[in-house]
Structures are given as structure tokens and as C-alpha cells.
Amino acid sequence: MFNHRTVAVLLRLLHLPCSRLVTSVPGLKRIAAFFVAMFQLFGALLFDWPTRPDGPDLDMSKFELVWQDEFNDGALDLNKWGGHYVYGIDDVQIRDTAYWQMDQVSFDDDNLIITCEYKDGKAGLNYYSCGIDTSPLHNFISKDNGYEQTYGYFEMRAKFPKGDGFNPAFWLLCEGMFEGNTSGVNGCEIDVFETKTDPSDTSKRWKDSVYHTVHVGSYDENHLQEVQGHFYTNNPTEEYNTYGLEWNKDEYIFYINGVESARTSFAGPCQVPLYLIISLGVDGHVKREQLPAQFVVDYVRAYQYKQ
């Protein structure tokens, strides 16, 4: 029986996104490029290897910018953001193996920075990190602030922390995800990107790659998910890359640096507003000698389809 992962890869094979390579070079080079692309896709199917995004280019002409944070003000805009699993400026909450607190959010050179440290903080000598979101329910000022949106295109430009055990992520969520519905129509979690954290994996098979996932059915026994696969980025700890999600009534389409990496209509798609989340997860593979480590975000933008 095929699982969701297998089906997703088979759909990519049938869709043949490698046509970008095949049509871009002549003669023998076209044939070689075709077999390289097919080798990557079968490697993804059989061994879960990452592949290079090679689908169609993102068409920005159909979108208009409706919300953004360029992080140019040198401080967190509390009309837009609140703590994710952090319930106030002075709150601290355990997430995996790190405590999340707003002290870990800073700004430099027009970038938002979430720093993971091992230090003597509000929860004593521990690992510290953070996550923030645009949920009106989590905002520090009032429930009328924050930001939610149904459909459109969402994009982040960022650099990742160096080392093992870090999971920088850009994702969308709503309270309907917690209701236990196995359909995503009334709520879901969409991970525009996450990274593998196990050093045995990140140093080899999944190094310099991200993956996309759609979750539905809450996080209990009703939970269902579809991982779209792992995709290479361009030296993500040293260079900025863009990570995007196009979401409409028919499907989700994922992009890396403006090139389609995957698409799915798994369990939905969602038809209610979702809010945005930036987070730096930390697990037991982190090493103190790698710290401090920083997740650097240049911007987050949301676009709607033009009428």
C-alpha cells in the first residue's frame, strides 16, 4: 500500500518537473540532464534523498502585496507579532529541549534574529530559543491585532543557524487544527519549511535541505500528515534563500527561491484563515560549542490573488 510520501513522489514523477532541465539544453546534454533528474526523483522515492526544485517558476504577476514585515524598525512590532507558546513579554515556556522566551528575539542590520543560547536565564541554566506568530489570540496588545489570511502567497527570506539540533521553521496554523477534524478544510498546519535536526542525517543525506509538510486532525490520535519531500537550498547557513507557499482553494504549491518544489491537495485544502509563525526549534542533538546560533530573517510577506 502506498503511503502519502510515496504518492507525493510518484506524482512528481508523473508531473515530470525535470522538463525544465530537459528543454533547457540541447542534444546529449538534454539526455544526461533527464537521467540526472530521474535519478534524483527515484532516489527521493526509494531512499528519501533530497532533490533540486525544478518545477515551474513562480508567477508573481497574479499577486498583490497585502501584508509584510521587513524588520527595519529595530524592534518587534507588537501590532503584528506575539509569542508562539510564549504568553507575554516576561513569560518562559519549555518547548522540546529549550525554553522559549522573548529575550531571544533581537534585530540587526534590518533582520529579525532568533538566537539559541545556553545561559543562566529565567528558567535557570538551560537552552533558550523562541517562536513568534501573528495570531490575534496570542498578541500582546489586543485580539484585534495580528494577521490572518485565506489563500494567496506567503514568503520568507532567511539564513539558517549553523550546527546540529536546530529546526528553523516558517509555518501557518489556525485554531481549527486543534479540533480533531481529519479534513483540513476547517483548519490545518502548513510547514512552508522545516529542517532535519539529527546530526547523522543533516551531515549526510539531508544536509542543506528543507522539507514541506501538511498536518491535519490535531496532534492526538486523529493526526494525519503528508511530507512533500526534501529539497536542496543554496548554502542556507551562509546565504539567504526564499521559501514560499501558494495556497488556493484547490491545492498548496511550495517554492524555494522562486522555483516550484512540490504541490499537494492533501486533506483539504484549508478554507479558513491561517496565521504566520517563525520559530527556532531545538532538540537534544544541539551541542553547546555551537552556540550561540542564529536564525536570521530578512522579511516575511503575504500576497493575495489579484481580483
Side-chain angles (χ1 to χ4, degrees):
M1 180 67 66
F2 289 147
N3 58 26
H4 294 306
R5 163 69 181 143
T6 304
V7 170
V9 174
L10 287 174
L11 287 174
R12 288 170 57 209
L13 283 167
L14 293 172
H15 184 244
L16 289 180
C18 54
S19 59
R20 162 190 294 271
L21 294 173
V22 174
T23 59
S24 63
V25 290
L28 292 176
K29 290 185 178 180
R30 289 177 56 185
I31 298 173
F34 174 81
F35 280 105
V36 167
M38 293 300 291
F39 177 80
Q40 286 192 19
L41 287 171
F42 278 112
L45 176 62
L46 298 176
F47 306 108
D48 209 17
W49 290 341
T51 60
R52 290 283 176 189
D54 57 4
D57 289 336
L58 174 65
D59 177 12
M60 289 301 298
S61 67
K62 59 188 175 182
F63 299 111
E64 58 183 352
L65 184 66
V66 293
W67 184 93
Q68 66 192 114
D69 200 332
E70 305 291 325
F71 305 117
N72 295 334
D73 297 332
L76 191 66
D77 186 344
L78 298 184
N79 290 303
K80 296 178 177 178
W81 301 96
H84 188 65
Y85 294 108
V86 182
Y87 306 103
I89 293 291
D90 297 320
D91 189 35
V92 59
Q93 296 288 334
I94 184 70
R95 289 282 294 164
D96 298 321
T97 59
Y99 284 88
W100 285 16
Q101 61 180 28
M102 296 302 293
D103 293 353
Q104 302 309 118
V105 178
S106 62
F107 296 83
D108 183 58
D109 196 23
D110 296 334
N111 290 305
L112 176 141
I113 300 171
I114 300 179
T115 301
C116 175
E117 296 179 274
Y118 185 81
K119 66 179 186 179
D120 191 1
K122 294 173 182 175
L125 193 61
N126 275 298
Y127 294 97
Y128 290 86
S129 189
C130 199
I132 58 175
D133 68 44
T134 65
S135 169
L137 296 176
H138 302 164
N139 195 270
F140 297 148
I141 298 179
S142 80
K143 65 181 181 180
D144 297 323
N145 295 299
Y147 186 74
E148 298 175 308
Q149 181 175 314
T150 307
Y151 306 143
Y153 177 69
F154 307 82
E155 184 176 88
M156 169 188 283
R157 184 173 185 262
K159 289 192 295 186
F160 294 168
K162 298 178 182 179
D164 303 319
F166 302 118
N167 181 21
F170 176 40
W171 39 310
L172 282 69
L173 186 64
C174 72
E175 302 310 309
M177 173 61 185
F178 300 91
E179 295 175 359
N181 300 313
T182 54
S183 166
V185 171
N186 295 319
C188 67
E189 173 188 326
I190 308 172
D191 300 324
V192 183
F193 74 81
E194 289 187 87
T195 64
K196 293 292 188 181
T197 60
D198 187 333
S200 64
D201 295 326
T202 41
S203 62
K204 297 179 182 178
R205 181 167 33 167
W206 291 308
K207 181 176 172 58
D208 292 342
S209 71
V210 300
Y211 64 99
H212 321 297
T213 312
V214 179
H215 302 262
V216 300
S218 76
Y219 301 104
D220 56 21
E221 64 274 7
N222 294 319
H223 176 250
L224 298 172
Q225 68 176 13
E226 181 182 88
V227 179
Q228 295 307 306
H230 302 85
F231 302 93
Y232 287 117
T233 60
N234 299 327
N235 194 17
T237 64
E238 299 290 343
E239 301 177 24
Y240 288 100
N241 288 259
T242 61
Y243 306 90
L245 167 74
E246 182 177 350
W247 162 31
N248 55 51
K249 64 181 179 63
D250 298 315
E251 62 186 345
Y252 309 113
I253 309 171
F254 299 89
Y255 295 89
I256 298 173
N257 295 319
V259 178
E260 181 184 322
S261 51
R263 64 173 62 202
T264 183
S265 57
F266 174 70
C270 184
Q271 298 178 15
V272 298
L274 301 175
Y275 57 83
L276 287 65
I277 307 169
I278 306 171
S279 62
L280 177 54
V282 183
D283 73 9
H285 297 105
V286 68
K287 301 178 179 64
R288 294 184 196 176
E289 57 267 26
Q290 300 170 344
L291 304 178
Q294 296 183 328
F295 181 22
V296 180
V297 181
D298 182 32
Y299 64 72
V300 176
R301 297 171 182 166
Y303 300 77
Q304 279 283 15
Y305 289 100
K306 293 179 180 178
Q307 299 298 320

